[in-house]
Amino acid sequence: DTGVSQDPRHKITKRGQNVTFRCDPISEHNRLYWYRQTLGQGPEFLTYFQNEAQLEKSRLLSDRFSAERPKGSFSTLEIQRTEQGDSAMYLCASSSRWEDTQYFGPGTRLTVL
Amino acid sequence: EDKVVQSPLSLVVHEGDTVTLNCSYEVTNFRSLLWYKQEKKAPTFLFMLTSSGIEKKSGRLSSILDKKELFSILNITATQTGDSAIYLCAVSSSLGYGGSQGNLIFGKGTKLSVKP
């Protein structure tokens, strides 16, 4: 399967703990995006990478959030000191540089107790 | 501020009905409009529209864009229970040199329920 993959699919954590999610994009795509989706809302943009460079960050991405894509392949999204408001589906997507169509992974559902 | 508004937010129909979903947008430097289908998991791509008046069609689904009036519609004919999903509209904007801005701006989606 050459689609976007994410790990884990589900994560339950206690408030104050740190969590890390991984995304593996479609192999030939050099752009990778992170979105957050809560119930009843469309996905909201968090950040994106072109190769290993983080080109844009949303103001939604507080200083507790950090994302990396060290070798321009997979990416990680870390949330430090989780809060209940962080509970959401975290979606990763990828695309080629000149293509608008983004292909989404299955998402990681985070529940903060 | 850039925004995408979808209507209705929810819709219940019976199998065989035809539905029209609406998407209006206000975006600086519009580049393209995309439709996705989401069934309890990741959004799956349906259509990308860049030019006004040119219908995109795939089976029972079709979509068209009006760049003058800043809206798009998604039509589903002869609906089936498998069409039950949230349909998301998203817009891409461009940078000054024509490249893609990067992020997509999504509407809240239309939740379609098709009853047998």
Side-chain angles (χ1 to χ4, degrees):
Chain A
D1 182 23
T2 57
V4 178
S5 62
Q6 292 186 245
D7 184 69
R9 297 289 304 277
H10 303 274
K11 179 72 177 178
I12 299 174
T13 192
K14 293 183 179 179
R15 189 176 51 189
Q17 297 294 304
N18 298 343
V19 294
T20 300
F21 311 140
R22 176 180 170 125
C23 171
D24 287 86
I26 294 171
S27 58
E28 60 267 30
H29 287 173
N30 53 13
R31 281 193 170 184
L32 185 149
Y33 311 81
W34 286 99
Y35 291 84
R36 181 173 69 186
Q37 186 176 25
T38 53
L39 196 62
Q41 302 293 320
E44 296 173 293
F45 170 75
L46 294 177
T47 188
Y48 90 94
F49 294 83
Q50 183 164 295
N51 300 314
E52 64 276 7
Q54 189 172 17
L55 296 188
E56 189 174 349
K57 292 195 293 185
S58 162
R59 62 178 179 273
L60 291 176
L61 212 66
S62 76
D63 57 5
R64 296 184 298 105
F65 288 69
S66 62
E68 294 183 342
R69 195 183 183 197
K71 297 182 179 179
S73 57
F74 73 91
S75 174
T76 58
L77 177 69
E78 181 183 16
I79 309 174
Q80 296 182 327
R81 304 181 304 280
T82 52
E83 302 173 356
Q84 288 186 325
D86 297 331
S87 295
M89 174 76 85
Y90 289 84
L91 294 166
C92 176
S94 70
S95 75
S96 65
R97 178 178 178 179
W98 299 107
E99 181 182 322
D100 291 355
T101 303
Q102 297 179 17
Y103 298 89
F104 285 82
T108 294
R109 182 167 295 282
L110 173 66
T111 302
V112 182
L113 301 177
Chain B
E1 183 178 337
D2 295 342
K3 64 179 180 179
V4 176
V5 178
Q6 293 186 245
S7 64
L9 292 180
S10 66
L11 188 58
V12 180
V13 300
H14 288 93
E15 272 192 316
D17 288 349
T18 293
V19 298
T20 298
L21 310 183
N22 303 293
C23 175
S24 63
Y25 62 90
E26 293 179 27
V27 175
T28 305
N29 297 326
F30 172 87
R31 180 177 162 96
S32 64
L33 185 145
L34 299 92
W35 286 95
Y36 287 85
K37 178 182 181 181
Q38 187 171 28
E39 300 171 90
K40 293 185 179 180
K41 50 184 180 180
T44 54
F45 173 71
L46 294 175
F47 299 112
M48 186 180 75
L49 303 153
T50 57
S51 301
S52 277
I54 299 175
E55 185 182 53
K56 292 269 181 108
K57 195 171 174 66
S58 176
R60 296 176 294 101
L61 277 66
S62 63
S63 183
I64 197 162
L65 174 67
D66 186 328
K67 291 170 72 173
K68 182 179 177 183
E69 300 297 329
L70 308 183
F71 78 91
S72 173
I73 59 173
L74 176 68
N75 281 319
I76 309 174
T77 59
T79 52
Q80 302 172 356
T81 54
D83 295 326
S84 296
I86 295 173
Y87 290 84
L88 294 165
C89 174
V91 173
S92 167
S93 59
S94 65
L95 299 170
Y97 58 83
S100 172
Q101 177 75 24
N103 58 295
L104 295 176
I105 302 164
F106 281 87
K108 291 186 176 183
T110 293
K111 183 177 181 181
L112 174 65
S113 298
V114 182
K115 303 294 186 185

